[in-house]
Amino acid sequence: MMAPEPVLTSKEDLIPYAFDGTAALSQMPGAVVFPRDAEQVSRLLQWANRERVPIIPRGSGSGLSGGSVPTPGSVVMCLVKLDRVLEVDRKNLTVMVETGATTEAVATAVGAANLFYPPDPGSMKISTIGGNVAENSGGLRGLKYGVTRNYVMGMEVVLPQGEIVWMGNKCVKDVAGYNLKDVFIGSEGTLGVITRVLLKLIPKPAAKKTMLATFAEMEKAAETISAIIAAQIIPCTLEFLDRTTIKCVEDFAHIGLPLDCDAIVLMETDGHAAVVAEESARMEQICRAHGCTSVHVAKDDTEAVQLASARRAAFSALARVAPTTILEDVTVPRSELAQMIRFIQNVAKTDQLRVGVFGHMGDGNLHPTFLTDERNHAEMEKVEKALHKIIEETIRLGGTITGEHGVGLAKKRFLPRQLGETQLRVMRELRRVLDPAGVLNPGKMFD
Amino acid sequence: MMAPEPVLTSKEDLIPYAFDGTAALSQMPGAVVFPRDAEQVSRLLQWANRERVPIIPRGSGSGLSGGSVPTPGSVVMCLVKLDRVLEVDRKNLTVMVETGATTEAVATAVGAANLFYPPDPGSMKISTIGGNVAENSGGLRGLKYGVTRNYVMGMEVVLPQGEIVWMGNKCVKDVAGYNLKDVFIGSEGTLGVITRVLLKLIPKPAAKKTMLATFAEMEKAAETISAIIAAQIIPCTLEFLDRTTIKCVEDFAHIGLPLDCDAIVLMETDGHAAVVAEESARMEQICRAHGCTSVHVAKDDTEAVQLASARRAAFSALARVAPTTILEDVTVPRSELAQMIRFIQNVAKTDQLRVGVFGHMGDGNLHPTFLTDERNHAEMEKVEKALHKIIEETIRLGGTITGEHGVGLAKKRFLPRQLGETQLRVMRELRRVLDPAGVLNPGKMFD
């Protein structure tokens, strides 16, 4: 075998690579390898094609759809050693990074040049840029700044049969040939292994204001969000937590959140100081006009970070209170948000399930999180049924089964319902063209 | 034949469909049909697959790479009858339109709802949205607002074998399955026929300021652009005209442009009034610091339109002075702009060719325009050689052979040089998967 060093094969060493951030999914791989450049990735894929060994690419394993969970007998290709930030180009506002650099390392490196890389997935302290690109990760600033896709200008990809290709460039406009780059973004490690990424940067916003509003009824919170968008304000963050989530976060982080409210909305506006002052005043006014019980504006950066931490801690806080947390990721058009939240809460009530709802309200992206126990088969079955109901309602409302976590294994059974047979057929054929032997991340997204 | 009515077949009727906006390319089709819905498009494609007749989709025919020029014996499928603006959704900030609606009709319809669709290709008065999506058209606001791709949230496409699929939705985030939508955007009518498009809208900017600066040397103009970007100002427009173009525009439009300068830079900033005031003052300062000979700020909307019209008239003005105008579309990283302009001017001088250069300076997107005569074979040969040199230099500088006009027939011979064999092979196989009989726009982009 021509696999690159080092290689892990002992059981204890393999255990951490048997799962990712997704609950209730785990499978031991045959081995784990750590390539150090695209050449080594290429040789490993050529070997895998000859020997018909499944290759599972992964970064830090913070994924939330089981996209990097091994298949039996597979070799995990862990890309964290490819972690250099190669070039910050101030003239062209770009940064070139290796795939295993963490999102935070990239944000820090470009911040030092007074530039800004906006995508900030919840796991950004550990998640890798390659993983972000493979999953097209979102974050808390998606409303104003978009998602990972909006920042990828180019990338080096090793195709499943081992060919190394570079797609894209530092040009802000390019229409030469089909846009293959955007197919690889969000392809969840099934079409190629990303080894290097060229990212677009923007000027760092000059000012920022963070606010937290509380509401006695979830409906009022949802109406407030709609009213902010209808007033043509696009803040960088419009996040929310429901009553269950608020309680768990407060128990966990002791931030001083009010426990007598039904919803908390976190708002952040950034940009020119005059715009920030005006937008935050208008948002405060809209919150009050829609019956919020309180609005609190952070007086400085420290307090802003503290308020935002309530939202950032949501998933960890919920994960603490039950042995198994099933994290959902449905997304609906913003106009359908109130309807969708009501539906989820009704399903939980009818089926007597514990669910905490939080998410990117401004994006229509909800993370209903079921608090359960995978050993309780009866309850897990009820959760599964509830998920099906939520998926059906999402599709009925013109939404999508996954806004930012991906399909992987977790949403695979729902994908045909979302896309229909024709699109799935095209996707299947595209995958076969690139990976005729089916060695790259088999069984993920679809069979 | 099950083709939809009306059908044109007489020679006089076919002539207008034998060419598009590209010089020196023309071929009579066998017939022209005008479908009225996706169903008719589908039936026509099914018929074409049975009978092996090439189908050439087109909108208004304003394309600049020969993408809708017929092949012999082909049927042109003209989509201009599908021209309704179906729904402006203020809650979700979207508009749903049929493919044949003009860019201007869409801009006007959403403007009436106080919303904004930013892409504004030069031909927007007549170009269709379907054509804009098929070519991923740019425009004068690309620097700040991006191109057509950045606004397509969903679309109905009839695949080459006749299947009608809908891709995308009104959700601002969606990672369910491969991103096929972005492959169809910019696929130049070779992978499917777009029949309906869902576009993202943004709030209309509250204020705008338009300025025109003149420079005695092109170098100084290029340095000024770089300095504006380096100062982290991203205005919506940074356009320029060289001496030849200025003279042609003035002869044509009598705007009162100064004829004693080497370059004119058109700048436009929009957004919040405070930001606009500040940015325009800083840009004026940067122009002066880099030795401009004059800066003029439009005092009102009428004057702003007049200043911008100098740039908008550039191509028409150049096209007037010579029987044949070969319009180029090379794009380089912004940092290489001065180098690229110098190179083009040197090539023209050495080869004794007349060339006017204008374009989207802020995007690194240049439109060197050769003023020639296709009947003068010796000169056409020199132009062809000059184009080759320009393409080679573009690629050497990390640029692209086409920033916004597309490959079509005009750039087909340069595409392998830009992309390399592996990417071309993947594109070819993708096309074969979708269009095994090769009926849709054959011979365009690549064979």
Side-chain angles (χ1 to χ4, degrees), chain A residues 70-136:
Chain A
T71 42
S74 63
V75 172
V76 168
M77 184 194 279
C78 184
L79 296 151
V80 295
K81 305 280 183 198
L82 275 153
D83 65 351
R84 288 175 302 167
V85 175
L86 298 168
E87 182 207 40
V88 178
D89 180 342
R90 291 166 197 241
K91 283 189 177 163
N92 290 302
L93 307 185
T94 60
V95 61
M96 179 80 88
V97 297
E98 288 186 324
T99 193
T102 63
T103 320
E104 187 165 78
V106 175
T108 306
V110 308
N114 206 30
L115 290 166
F116 184 39
Y117 175 68
D120 60 342
S123 53
M124 68 179 289
K125 276 192 207 307
I126 58 159
S127 67
T128 62
I129 282 292
N132 293 171
V133 175
E135 300 289 331
N136 187 21

Side-chain angles (χ1 to χ4, degrees), chain B residues 72 249 291 377 420 424:
Chain B
V249 168
H377 297 293
L424 256 186

Side-chain angles (χ1 to χ4, degrees), chain B residues 368-379:
Chain B
T369 304
F370 288 91
L371 308 176
T372 179
D373 185 340
E374 56 186 305
R375 294 160 300 186
N376 180 344
H377 297 293
E379 187 167 278

Side-chain angles (χ1 to χ4, degrees), chain A residues 351-374:
Chain A
D351 298 349
Q352 289 178 292
L353 293 166
R354 274 204 301 169
V355 65
V357 186
F358 64 96
H360 315 292
M361 211 162 191
D363 301 333
N365 184 192
L366 301 175
H367 295 316
T369 304
F370 289 90
L371 309 176
T372 178
D373 184 342
E374 57 187 305

Side-chain angles (χ1 to χ4, degrees), chain A residues 91-93 113-115 135-136 138-139 147 149 159 161 163 165-167 169-180 182-183 185-188 190-191 203-204 229 232 234 272 274-275 278 329 331-335 360 362-363 365 398-407 415 418-419 422-423 425-427 429-431 433-434 445-446, chain B residues 91-93 113-115 135-136 138-139 147 149 159 161 163 165-167 169-180 182-183 185-188 190-191 203-204 229 232 234 272 274-275 278 329 331-335 360 362-363 365 398-407 415 418-419 422-423 425-427 429-431 433-434 445-446:
Chain A
K91 283 189 177 163
N92 290 302
L93 307 185
N114 206 30
L115 290 166
E135 300 289 331
N136 187 21
V147 294
R149 178 183 308 285
L159 299 184
Q161 295 182 292
E163 290 140 309
V165 291
W166 172 261
M167 298 179 224
N169 48 53
K170 286 186 180 175
C171 299
V172 294
K173 288 157 77 180
D174 183 8
V175 293
Y178 299 150
N179 179 8
L180 294 180
D182 272 282
V183 182
I185 302 169
S187 66
E188 306 187 2
T190 66
L191 298 181
K204 207 185 253 184
I229 305 286
Q232 305 206 337
I234 310 286
H272 188 282
V275 179
E278 205 171 284
D329 178 41
T331 303
V332 292
R334 286 188 281 237
S335 55
H360 315 292
D363 301 333
N365 184 192
T400 173
I401 58 170
T402 173
E404 57 180 12
H405 293 169
V407 175
L415 193 64
Q418 173 85 42
L419 295 179
T422 306
Q423 275 190 77
R425 177 181 59 80
V426 175
M427 291 180 192
E429 289 182 13
L430 173 64
R431 188 163 174 180
V433 159
L434 286 163
M445 201 183 280
F446 52 79
Chain B
K91 282 189 178 165
N92 290 303
L93 307 185
N114 206 31
L115 290 165
E135 300 288 331
N136 187 22
V147 294
R149 178 182 307 286
L159 299 184
Q161 296 182 291
E163 291 141 310
V165 291
W166 171 260
M167 299 178 224
N169 48 53
K170 286 185 182 176
C171 298
V172 294
K173 288 157 77 180
D174 183 7
V175 293
Y178 300 148
N179 179 8
L180 294 181
D182 271 282
V183 182
I185 302 169
S187 66
E188 306 186 2
T190 66
L191 297 180
K204 206 185 254 186
I229 305 287
Q232 304 205 337
I234 310 287
H272 188 282
V275 179
E278 206 171 282
D329 179 40
T331 304
V332 292
R334 285 188 281 237
S335 56
H360 316 291
D363 301 334
N365 185 191
T400 173
I401 58 170
T402 172
E404 57 181 12
H405 293 169
V407 176
L415 194 64
Q418 173 85 43
L419 295 178
T422 306
Q423 274 189 80
R425 177 181 58 80
V426 174
M427 290 179 191
E429 289 181 12
L430 173 64
R431 188 164 173 180
V433 158
L434 286 163
M445 201 183 280
F446 51 79

